[in-house]
Amino acid sequence: MIRVNGKQETFEGTISLKAYVEKKGYRPERIAVERNGEIVPRNRYGETLLADGDVLEIVSFVGGG
């Protein structure tokens, strides 16, 4: 089980951060992800595997003025 933006989520097997954000419909170029208190560089999303107990904060960038 992981916690994403304050909500518990479960998933089966191993999944990369890249696969997770794509599955959830996020556009990787428009988000920032913090995992367990540390920012994950976008170029490491594919190699970052989510583990039981991880805490993610995903922030979407919004344009406007």
Side-chain angles (χ1 to χ4, degrees):
M1 187 176 313
I2 62 173
R3 181 176 294 271
V4 181
N5 294 343
K7 297 180 183 173
Q8 297 284 353
E9 289 200 33
T10 58
F11 58 89
E12 303 255 342
T14 303
I15 188 170
S16 70
L17 178 56
K18 180 180 180 186
Y20 177 82
V21 297
E22 289 175 350
K23 178 180 174 184
K24 293 296 183 175
Y26 291 104
R27 292 175 47 194
E29 68 277 4
R30 297 193 54 115
I31 63 171
V33 179
E34 180 184 275
R35 176 178 175 238
N36 302 327
E38 295 186 20
I39 299 294
V40 179
R42 190 172 298 125
N43 64 350
R44 300 203 50 210
Y45 287 7
E47 65 192 60
T48 301
L49 299 179
L50 299 181
D52 189 41
D54 278 347
V55 177
L56 301 178
E57 291 294 329
I58 301 175
V59 179
S60 297
F61 301 116
V62 179

